[in-house]
Amino acid sequence: MNYRRGEERLLGVAVPLAALRSAGGWRVGEYPDLAAFGALCAASGVGLVQLLPVNDTGGQSSPYFALSAFALHPLYLRARDLPEAPSAPAALAELDAFAAAAAPGERFPYQAALDAKDRCLRAIYAAAAARLDIDPAMDEFVAGRPWLKAYAVYKGLKARFDQRGWREWPELRDPTPEGLERLWADPARRAEHRYHVWVQLRCAEQFARAAGALRELGVELLGDLPIMMNEDSADVWADRRSFRPELRAGSPPDAGSPDGQNWGFPIYDWESMAQDGYRFWKERIREADRYYSAYRIDHVLGFFRIWALPEREESGYLGRFLPGVPLSRDELSAAGFSDERLRWLSRPHVSGYELADELRAIGATEDEVALAFGSALERIGDQDLYLFKPAIRGERDLRLPGLSPRAAEALMRRWRDRALVPIDEAGYGATPRMRASRAWASLSEGERAALEGLFAKAGARESGLWLEQGRRLLGMLKAESAMLPCAEDLGSIPPGVPEELERLGMLGLRIPRWTRHWERPGQPYLRPDEYPELSVCTPSVHDTSTLRGWWELEEGREGFAEAYCPGIRPAARGLSADDEYALLRALAGARSRLYVLQLQDLLDIGPAYRSADPERDRVNVPGAVADFNWTWRMGPSIEALGADEAWVERLRGVAEARRRST
């Protein structure tokens, strides 16, 4: 859909679809709830609603671990609104009973809700299967969505193989296009395939109606397109050519993650994708265009360059940026580095007595010490130096049976202790902490200068490659639709990237608590009038604390208040509803094209809706694996909020401050 508001400065609200609660709704937000929420927004001066991804994630509650880049989540399908629903009253009654068991103010039980919804949908489909089996609308739907056959087959196979990922299946792990067609056409699997087609058809109908309702109200809908795909997905399983499953995406070490991060997602094979005109990404954009008028590209830096890790690595340390310019053996030889010297720099040389002492110091038994040396290391002659055995290809291989986690981590630290990392046959890259390695300490000043000079030249060439790739890929996305593109561009930004995003008309992300003049004395916060016009200003996002949570539990509020709302006294730890309202109105003056507030931050301006503990209002705590994540729901219903004249008036006050900022 085309974005209709041009350069107008809009106020928006960000909310997970699952979090919406409407009168008469279910235990989890559903597609039709979006229309009711849009009506509340339109009546309050809000011009945009932003959603988290709504793709099918199967048993994963995170919307960023999708089973498909295209398929919608069945959890959000409203069963009672289905045309086939009257044929299965008992299933609907069971679903209503599950909803009635909800505790007041609960974070919803994701897996139990998904199971309950699936049981109901399967019962409804079974009751109407004879008619649906010959319904031409089903066949038309398949014909219009090239991804749907592979998705339906994949979902059927996951059910058949106990929901395991495709790498763990006993068969059918590597389908060919012809093999996929045979699986799709198999009469024994037809009912299962048709069920998934029916679910996707009804999801698309309900979501399209809700999106259309927002459009009629004049409210723009902003969707979220995660750049990376879950390895356990129909896309990676069926389209292996577009991915490099031997590599994983992550991020290099920084202050918050000293060993980097390994996200576990396979990276794209951009060269292979170019051969079919980036079909996968163009289909993603076209699918999003059915519902949204704007979209957010998660981790937009990944289109310029990605931190790639061998699949056997556990941490994010031993990676390199792609595209990259490794140093060839010939270049290094010309700089005076012999094969023997390169082996010393690129293969960890482990001191036997140091490792044994550390293992004993952390409580390893003598059997564990013997296991570590016997299974992971091989001695160099009669020296007290060891190399890792050829069978050790990454950190995961050091999780040896019988070895404690602490002992395995001691081995991993030595595995990472190298100055250079071999890159297939292409050459060598620098490790993130090259200068802290044991090998670096043994180099002469001349050798150090030579290596640093070579890597500096390679880095300059890499920067050009990154900008060229980002320009090409993002230009392709931009040309594919009239949606407004927004970029999540947090993190360490390579030179030239902001200029490229501006040239493409992509809105960057600005979170005020992190938006400072970092290069100036005192690192002052930007004033609202200093924000770039091509940006989205948002006080909090799904991966952070709320504005109130940050103010009350973290640091920085003194300078923040001075920059944005000097009338607030930050000495008191608490942030009252009145003070938060004043802050949100002040931030509304940002020059940013969009000003988007999480619903939690807006609920906090109403005294009746504030949580006792603002930490409970987080959507996600990154790095934590818990049922808490991604299961937040709004406390009051949409209708109750709309009837609260005092709260609505405050929301209108923020919208009015936004209008006055133009």
Side-chain angles (χ1 to χ4, degrees):
M1 296 183 183
N2 63 304
Y3 182 80
R4 298 168 298 173
R5 305 297 282 267
E7 298 181 2
E8 182 181 350
R9 292 186 189 173
L10 288 187
L11 172 64
V13 179
V15 62
L17 180 57
L20 294 178
R21 186 190 303 273
S22 66
W26 193 58
R27 198 166 177 174
V28 179
E30 297 170 312
Y31 297 113
D33 293 323
L34 184 58
F37 189 70
L40 170 63
C41 289
S44 307
V46 175
L48 178 141
V49 172
Q50 177 179 341
L51 298 178
L52 292 181
V54 293
N55 301 91
D56 181 6
T57 59
Q60 288 270 8
S61 62
S62 170
Y64 294 94
F65 281 81
L67 294 180
S68 168
F70 309 94
L72 296 172
H73 209 314
L75 180 62
Y76 309 139
L77 187 60
R78 177 159 292 169
R80 77 170 72 93
D81 288 357
L82 296 171
E84 300 84 8
S87 60
L92 291 172
E94 181 183 340
L95 199 64
D96 289 340
F98 176 81
E106 71 170 8
R107 295 180 80 97
F108 67 88
Y110 176 83
Q111 189 61 55
L114 181 63
D115 291 344
K117 184 65 67 78
D118 183 64
R119 285 194 300 272
C120 180
L121 294 177
R122 286 185 178 275
I124 293 172
Y125 180 80
R131 176 172 58 80
L132 290 171
D133 189 58
I134 56 173
D135 186 349
M138 299 263 283
D139 298 311
E140 291 172 11
F141 189 70
V142 173
R145 286 164 170 79
W147 51 269
L148 188 48
K149 288 183 181 180
Y151 166 77
V153 170
Y154 186 75
K155 288 280 284 189
L157 290 174
K158 276 188 72 70
R160 175 180 167 189
F161 297 131
D162 302 318
Q163 300 302 326
R164 287 176 288 172
W166 61 264
R167 281 181 176 263
E168 300 176 27
W169 293 354
E171 56 180 324
L172 304 174
R173 291 187 296 271
D174 300 290
T176 62
E178 298 76 21
L180 261 176
E181 284 294 335
R182 285 194 296 272
L183 288 168
W184 166 257
D186 185 349
R189 296 184 170 94
R190 178 178 173 85
E192 179 72 9
H193 297 165
R194 299 284 285 188
Y195 167 71
H196 294 295
V197 170
W198 171 75
V199 167
Q200 286 304 305
L201 171 63
R202 298 301 183 230
C203 283
E205 290 172 343
Q206 288 192 4
F207 192 26
R209 280 196 295 270
L214 263 65
R215 193 164 183 82
E216 290 179 7
L217 291 164
V219 177
E220 306 289 346
L221 185 59
L222 192 159
D224 193 325
L225 296 185
I227 178 175
M228 308 310 302
M229 281 308 305
N230 188 8
E231 181 176 59
D232 182 19
S233 66
D235 309 291
V236 178
W237 172 70
D239 186 18
R240 209 71 50 79
R241 182 181 67 158
S242 294
F243 299 86
R244 295 186 62 179
E246 81 281 5
L247 295 173
R248 298 290 183 273
S251 62
D254 58 26
S257 302
D259 292 326
Q261 296 180 38
N262 187 331
W263 302 330
F265 299 118
I267 71 169
Y268 293 107
D269 190 332
W270 292 119
E271 291 183 6
S272 177
M273 282 187 159
Q275 294 174 13
D276 65 5
Y278 304 105
R279 174 188 53 81
F280 173 84
W281 273 100
K282 289 180 178 180
E283 287 181 2
R284 284 192 76 177
I285 291 294
R286 285 194 290 268
E287 193 67 28
D289 195 64
R290 297 177 190 272
Y291 313 105
Y292 306 115
S293 58
Y295 64 99
R296 170 187 180 271
I297 303 174
D298 183 59
H299 190 57
V300 75
L301 296 182
F303 284 97
F304 292 87
R305 50 102 177 106
I306 199 76
W307 186 250
L309 300 150
E311 63 175 327
R312 299 301 301 168
E313 295 300 333
E314 189 172 283
S315 75
Y317 188 78
L318 289 177
R320 81 266 193 189
F321 281 119
L322 290 179
V325 181
L327 298 183
S328 70
R329 189 177 293 271
D330 289 344
E331 286 179 284
L332 289 162
S333 177
F337 293 94
S338 65
D339 287 351
E340 183 180 43
R341 204 64 169 144
L342 292 176
R343 187 161 52 249
W344 170 254
L345 291 167
S346 62
R347 295 189 64 185
H349 289 62
V350 180
S351 165
Y353 80 86
E354 288 180 3
L355 175 61
D357 282 354
E358 181 181 351
L359 290 173
R360 294 182 181 112
I362 62 176
T365 65
E366 291 304 315
D367 285 344
E368 284 185 285
V369 173
L371 174 63
F373 277 84
S375 297
L377 301 168
E378 55 187 16
R379 192 166 187 168
I380 303 174
D382 58 358
Q383 302 179 70
D384 186 45
L385 276 180
Y386 294 79
L387 296 173
F388 284 94
K389 291 183 174 182
I392 304 298
R393 297 179 293 118
E395 292 163 319
R396 298 185 193 281
D397 298 324
L398 296 171
R399 297 283 183 191
L400 300 168
L403 201 63
S404 72
R406 293 183 69 189
E409 286 158 10
L411 283 174
M412 290 181 195
R413 284 192 291 275
R414 283 155 177 82
W415 173 256
R416 295 190 288 266
D417 183 14
R418 59 184 84 187
L420 303 181
V421 56
I423 301 175
D424 304 323
E425 301 300 318
Y428 298 86
T431 56
R433 292 193 294 270
M434 175 176 69
R435 296 167 188 82
S437 67
R438 175 190 292 269
W440 182 266
S442 71
L443 296 180
S444 68
E445 288 300 321
E447 288 175 316
R448 293 178 185 178
L451 269 183
E452 288 181 328
L454 287 171
F455 280 119
K457 291 179 182 177
R461 298 199 300 272
E462 283 182 340
S463 295
L465 291 177
W466 299 344
L467 293 177
E468 189 280 327
Q469 176 172 285
R471 186 181 305 123
R472 181 178 70 255
L473 297 176
L474 294 176
M476 172 267 298
L477 296 185
K478 179 81 183 297
E480 198 60 28
S481 86
M483 292 186 289
L484 174 70
C486 304
E488 186 275 287
D489 56 349
L490 302 179
S492 178
I493 311 297
V497 168
E499 292 77 9
E500 284 300 326
L501 294 178
E502 182 177 359
R503 190 184 66 81
L504 289 164
M506 292 190 166
L507 278 58
L509 182 63
R510 300 294 182 271
I511 299 177
R513 68 184 81 167
W514 298 329
T515 304
R516 303 191 183 201
H517 292 291
W518 295 103
E519 74 288 353
R520 294 184 187 175
Q523 300 176 336
Y525 290 94
L526 267 70
R527 300 187 311 272
D529 62 354
E530 294 179 304
Y531 277 64
E533 194 271 335
L534 287 177
S535 67
V536 178
C537 173
T538 182
S540 66
V541 295
H542 59 269
D543 278 339
T544 72
S545 52
T546 61
L547 178 60
R548 177 179 159 225
W550 170 74
W551 182 280
E552 296 185 353
L553 303 172
E554 301 172 42
E555 301 299 327
R557 64 188 182 280
E558 290 84 0
F560 193 85
E562 182 180 349
Y564 296 114
C565 201
I568 294 177
R569 295 187 302 275
R573 196 83 201 184
L575 183 66
S576 70
D578 290 345
D579 282 350
E580 182 153 1
Y581 176 52
L583 270 178
L584 294 184
R585 283 172 56 86
L587 286 168
R591 289 180 59 244
S592 304
R593 179 85 56 83
L594 301 180
Y595 176 46
V596 179
L597 304 174
Q598 281 203 106
L599 179 58
Q600 299 95 305
D601 289 333
L602 286 169
L603 292 176
D604 275 342
I605 66 177
Y609 309 126
R610 294 161 66 83
S611 298
D613 178 5
E615 280 292 280
R616 298 299 302 172
D617 289 332
R618 290 187 67 134
V619 173
N620 178 50
V621 180
V625 180
D627 292 340
F628 175 93
N629 283 348
W630 311 108
T631 58
W632 179 79
R633 287 202 81 194
M634 59 190 292
S637 70
I638 296 167
E639 292 79 7
L641 279 179
D644 186 336
E645 293 182 7
W647 184 85
V648 170
E649 191 58 34
R650 285 202 157 183
L651 179 53
R652 287 176 179 150
V654 178
E656 178 59 29
R658 184 65 178 150
R659 281 192 294 273
R660 288 204 305 268
S661 72
T662 56

